[in-house]
Every structure is written in C-alpha cells, then in structure tokens.
Amino acid sequence: MINTSRNSRFVICISVGTGLILNVDQASVILVLGQISDQFGSGFSDSQWVLSSYLLPLASLVVVGGAICDRCSTDKVLSAGLTIFLTGSIFSFVSQELIHLLLARVLCGIGAALAFPASLALIRKCLSEDVAKKAFGYWFAGALGGSAAGPLLNGFLVDFSSWRVVFLISATVSIFILIVLIFSNFSVMKFEIIPQISFVSSLVTTLALTGIVFGLIRSGSNGWTAGSSFLPILIGLLIFVVKAISDGYFTRQAKTTSGKIGSAWPFIYLMLTGILPVVGVVVLTVLYLGSVRDLTVFQTGLAITPFGLSAALVSPLVPRLVSRYGFNRLLIIAVFFQFLGLAFLSRIEADSSFLLIATGLFGLGISMAIFPSLTLNEALANTPEANSGYVSGIHNGAIQVGQLISIGLIGSLATMSINSDLRKTFSSDWIDIPESGYRSLAIGEDWLPEEISINDVDRFRELADSSFSSGLAKSISFTLLILVGIVVFSFLMKKGLAKKSVERI
C-alpha cells in the first residue's frame, strides 16, 4: 500500500484523468454524428456505428481487461490500454473513409477495455481503504464530469473547426496521462496467490456479449423481428445459458476464484439495472436538441451540461453520504431522482422550455452520480483485493452493456413511437411519404419530400418536429413505467426473501 500523500495524489490524478478522457471521448462523439454523416455522405443511421464500434469491443472485452489486471502489473496494463486508445484516436483524426474511422474506433474501444478496469484497480491496489473510498468518488466525478465538460469544450471547438478535433483532444490528453504514468514513482501491490481466473470463461462471455450487443445495435435500424437483430441476441443468450450451467457444475467440482466474488454480483446487477432507464433517454434528448431545436454542437453540449455537471459534483460526496445515511437510503435517493428526471423529460414538446429539459437531465445526473460509486464500493468491499481488477472489469462491463441495452431498447422504442406519430400526422392525402422518408424522420434526419412546394416546407418541418417530440415523450413515459415495474418487482422479491429468512429462524 502507498502511504505517502504525494504518491497517493499521483495515483488519484492518473486514475481520474483516465476515467475523464475516456468519457470525454465517448460523450463528445454523440454530438458530432451528424457532421460525420455529412462528411462521408452516409446516412445518420450508418454514422451511429461510430459510437457503436467503440462501445461494442469496450462492453465485450472489459471483463477480459479486468482479468488481465489481476494477472499482470496494473500500471503496465493501464499504459498498454492508453497507448492503444491513443493510437486509435490518432487514426480517427486522420481517417478519410468511414470504414477507416470505424476500425479506428474499434481500436479505441479495445484500449478503453484495458484502461477502464486498470484505472479502478490501481486505486484499490495502491491506496489504503479509507483513501481508496474517496478516490473512487473522485474517479466517478472525473468520469461523469467528462460527460459534461467534453461536449461543452469539444462542442465549442467543433463549431469553429470540424468533428476531427474531438479525437485530437483525446489523443493529446492520453499522451499527457501516459507521460505522468511513466515518470511516476509508485509501486502496485503484488499478491502471492495469483487469482485463478479462466480466460476461456472470459472469452466465452465476450462472445456472448458480442452477439447480444450486435443484435441490439441492429434492432435500432432493422427492428426486433429482423434476422440480423433477433438471431445474434438469441445466440448470445443461449451461450450465456450454457456458460451458467457449466460454471455451476465446475464450481461444485472445485473451489475457484469465481466463487470468491459471488457476493459482488448483486451490486453488479444493480448497476446494470440502474443505468438502463438513463443513457438511452439522454442520447435521445441530444438527438432532439439537434434535430428539433436546431442547436449547434456547442449549444447542445451546453444544454446537456446539467446531466454531467450534477453527476460530477455529487460523486465525490457519495462515500460520505453512504457513511451517514447507509446503502439502502442512498439507493432510494438515486431511484427517486431517476423518477424525477424521467417525469420531467416525459413532458417534452417541440417548444419545451430549456428549464424543463435541464431539470430532467439534472435528476438523471444525480442518479448516475450515486449508482456507479455506490455499487462499485460495495462490490469491492465484498471481494478479495486480489480480484479487484476482475470485479472492476465486470462492474464497468455492466455499465457499458447497460448503456448499449439502454440505447438499443429505448432507441428502438422511441423509433417505433415516433414513426407511429408521424404516420398519424401525415395520414391525409396532403403529401405522400415513402417508407424511407418515415425511417429518416424517425431518427431525426432533416428529410424533405422531393415534390414538396417551397410554401409547404415550414409547415412540413413543424409537423415533423411535433410528431418527433410527441413520440419521444411517449417512449420516455413508457421507460418511466418500466422503472416503476422494476422497483415494485425488486420490493416484492426483497419482501419475499425476508419472509423466508424469518420462517427459517
């Protein structure tokens, strides 16, 4: 363990800086998808793969990255991850074809899959327990702060240059963190007993996640019933079922490391559940601000600042709040703010005030400040220190998978709802809209019928914006109902388990 305050500050700065730049990159890319689409002459749905090609390897490989952290020196794993991420950012900056940009983003996702769990494991393995709890709060403050500062800073720069500046910033900050890491003089705790984690099991998990995530991504454009959406999800779920059965068998045959982290799983699942109602709604709000409200990239970044800023300000306070109010009360507060945020955003209209949008995003930001830090601290507290990298990887994997599921589920739900409202609006003989037109309007593209007269353009766009906003509000309302269902189900399950415990006594 590190005891000197100087070395502690180095560890915290490196870890927090890593979480910050990875989230700055991810949050900023969402804002420039439209410009990337214009640059390469692709549809908006095609340019969405720029985000998905980063999240897919990140969500699929982050568990493997966590396992590697426990087998190898954590600082070296972090250096490798940042180097790969840096390389991908440079290639993203210079790419001249969409396919080259997608491959570069895959490289960034692989680097992030190593860097995310390594930056968290570094805190656990280098700092005392009390300092580590505070450092986790700072880490999530930096990560969530990146979600606010990234769109704001990069949005300002993009408005005066191009979308490429996003990747230039990522590369520059990554170089700075690597320099600090290389010249820092601190040691990482080494364990006499190396965790016996099966890389075969991790790779099978990666394969299953890849299938599920790929299917979710495809469902946004092709629908849930399409073979390219349904089959990968089904195959991924079947792999998980087979893996669960085999893991149960081998766990009974021999005591493995995976059995030692069993106490952490409830908190991993809680993190996955907590993020589901949030990210998809935030992404759709960004789409609404750009397509319906016609905001610039910087203005959109400014409009969503309440989400990241509130999360960044509250995250460092979570360890202290847990000590004062306890785990259960703080969890209730997080869920309450989710309800608040979704309730406000479910009232969104084409001309809604920015105060209503800011209040909704503020509520969701508070909930995201509490959930990650709260669940990670509890997960790590219930597992051996030797497995901190693996648990950090699983926890981060839950966040990334939760984001993809959230974007896939809520995005698909919103697309269907918006499409339905558009068809009702334009069901008269006023104008003929082809299927491709409905699909374009449903994802926020500025589409116009070929034969529309100049006098009808403004009316058409007004009706399209109104239908888009109405469909979006309905999908958020449905998300709110899903959250209510999850809470009620969790309460009944907890009550049932408590009753069984009393009966045994």
Side-chain angles (χ1 to χ4, degrees):
M1 291 288 183
I2 290 177
N3 296 317
T4 65
S5 58
R6 181 176 179 273
N7 283 332
S8 296
R9 284 195 295 269
F10 268 122
V11 170
I12 293 172
C13 287
I14 291 168
S15 299
V16 172
T18 301
L20 177 103
I21 190 54
L22 294 179
N23 279 276
V24 163
D25 179 275
Q26 185 174 326
S28 299
V29 167
I30 296 173
L31 298 179
V32 297
L33 293 180
Q35 291 194 10
I36 292 174
S37 175
D38 294 337
Q39 171 80 40
F40 295 116
S42 60
F44 185 80
S45 57
D46 290 334
S47 66
Q48 285 180 305
W49 280 97
V50 177
L51 176 62
S52 301
S53 61
Y54 172 81
L55 287 175
L56 180 56
L58 173 54
S60 301
L61 299 175
V62 71
V63 176
V64 177
I68 292 173
C69 287
D70 294 327
R71 288 291 187 94
C72 307
S73 178
T74 305
D75 54 334
K76 291 181 180 178
V77 175
L78 180 56
S79 296
L82 285 171
T83 301
I84 296 172
F85 179 80
L86 166 64
T87 304
S89 297
I90 293 173
F91 279 116
S92 298
F93 176 72
V94 300
S95 59
Q96 299 299 317
E97 299 288 341
L98 181 59
I99 185 62
H100 298 156
L101 178 60
L102 295 180
L103 292 174
R105 294 303 291 164
V106 169
L107 201 59
C108 287
I110 294 172
L114 290 173
F116 261 127
S119 63
L120 289 165
L122 198 68
I123 292 174
R124 182 80 188 281
K125 294 180 179 181
C126 293
L127 304 176
S128 64
E129 185 175 351
D130 291 339
V131 177
K133 286 182 179 180
K134 294 179 181 178
F136 283 132
Y138 295 140
W139 190 94
F140 283 108
L144 294 167
S147 299
L152 201 59
L153 173 62
N154 283 325
F156 176 78
L157 295 174
V158 166
D159 282 344
F160 289 96
S161 54
S162 76
W163 56 267
R164 297 181 186 276
V165 75
V166 169
F167 305 113
L168 180 62
I169 295 294
S170 297
T172 303
V173 177
S174 298
I175 291 173
F176 177 76
I177 297 172
L178 274 170
I179 292 172
V180 175
L181 181 60
I182 291 171
F183 289 98
S184 297
N185 184 24
F186 59 82
S187 58
V188 181
M189 178 184 292
K190 295 181 180 179
F191 299 96
E192 295 181 1
I193 301 176
I194 299 176
Q196 298 299 311
I197 297 171
S198 173
F199 276 93
V200 173
S201 177
S202 296
L203 290 174
V204 170
T205 301
T206 299
L207 181 63
L209 281 175
T210 301
I212 293 173
V213 169
F214 182 82
L216 287 171
I217 293 170
R218 298 300 300 170
S219 68
S221 56
N222 295 351
W224 290 99
T225 57
S228 60
S229 304
F230 176 76
L231 288 178
I233 294 175
L234 179 61
I235 293 171
L237 290 174
L238 287 175
I239 292 174
F240 265 129
V241 170
V242 173
K243 181 179 182 298
I245 294 173
S246 63
D247 283 352
Y249 172 78
F250 287 114
T251 299
R252 288 191 297 270
Q253 297 298 316
K255 294 181 179 180
T256 61
T257 303
S258 59
K260 297 179 183 179
I261 67 166
S263 300
W265 280 113
F267 305 104
I268 303 296
Y269 294 138
L270 184 60
M271 181 65 252
L272 177 63
T273 305
I275 203 169
L276 287 179
V278 176
V279 177
V281 171
V282 173
V283 171
L284 288 173
T285 304
V286 170
L287 184 60
Y288 159 84
L289 291 169
S291 62
V292 176
R293 305 308 290 269
D294 294 323
L295 300 186
T296 66
V297 177
F298 173 69
Q299 289 171 335
T300 302
L302 189 62
I304 65 171
T305 297
F307 173 75
L309 185 61
S310 59
L313 292 176
V314 174
S315 287
L317 304 177
V318 171
R320 191 185 307 171
L321 293 173
V322 173
S323 301
R324 184 172 181 178
Y325 297 107
F327 179 86
N328 290 332
R329 288 184 180 179
L330 204 57
L331 182 61
I332 292 172
I333 292 173
V335 174
F336 168 77
F337 276 104
Q338 274 197 6
F339 277 118
L340 179 70
L342 292 174
F344 271 90
L345 291 175
S346 66
R347 301 180 61 187
I348 204 166
E349 296 177 355
D351 58 350
S352 293
S353 70
F354 288 108
L355 179 61
L356 180 142
I357 298 169
T359 304
L361 291 172
F362 175 83
L364 296 182
I366 295 294
S367 71
M368 282 299 96
I370 297 174
F371 265 108
S373 182
L374 185 67
T375 54
L376 181 62
N377 270 306
E378 292 298 318
L380 290 174
N382 284 274
T383 54
E385 287 188 349
N387 299 117
S388 56
Y390 186 59
V391 172
S392 297
I394 295 175
H395 184 271
N396 204 276
I399 293 176
Q400 306 306 330
V401 171
Q403 288 188 76
L404 283 165
I405 294 176
S406 180
I407 293 170
L409 283 174
I410 299 176
S412 179
L413 180 66
T415 300
M416 290 187 292
S417 181
I418 294 169
N419 205 313
S420 176
D421 274 37
L422 286 167
R423 291 177 187 276
K424 289 178 182 178
T425 301
F426 298 108
S427 59
S428 65
D429 295 330
W430 174 54
I431 198 164
D432 183 35
I433 299 179
E435 286 297 321
S436 59
Y438 280 118
R439 285 196 297 269
S440 297
L441 291 172
I443 60 175
E445 290 185 354
D446 187 16
W447 181 88
L448 288 172
E450 292 182 0
E451 299 179 357
I452 192 170
S453 66
I454 297 176
N455 295 330
D456 289 333
V457 168
D458 289 341
R459 181 188 172 202
F460 179 86
R461 283 177 171 161
E462 182 180 347
L463 290 172
D465 288 346
S466 178
S467 299
F468 185 96
S469 304
S470 175
L472 176 60
K474 289 177 183 177
S475 65
I476 296 176
S477 297
F478 191 76
T479 303
L480 185 59
L481 291 176
I482 293 175
L483 179 59
V484 172
I486 291 173
V487 172
V488 171
F489 177 76
S490 301
F491 175 77
L492 293 176
M493 287 291 292
K494 184 177 180 181
K495 189 175 180 180
L497 291 172
K499 185 177 180 181
K500 288 183 180 180
S501 299
V502 172
E503 290 175 353
R504 288 194 193 101
I505 295 174

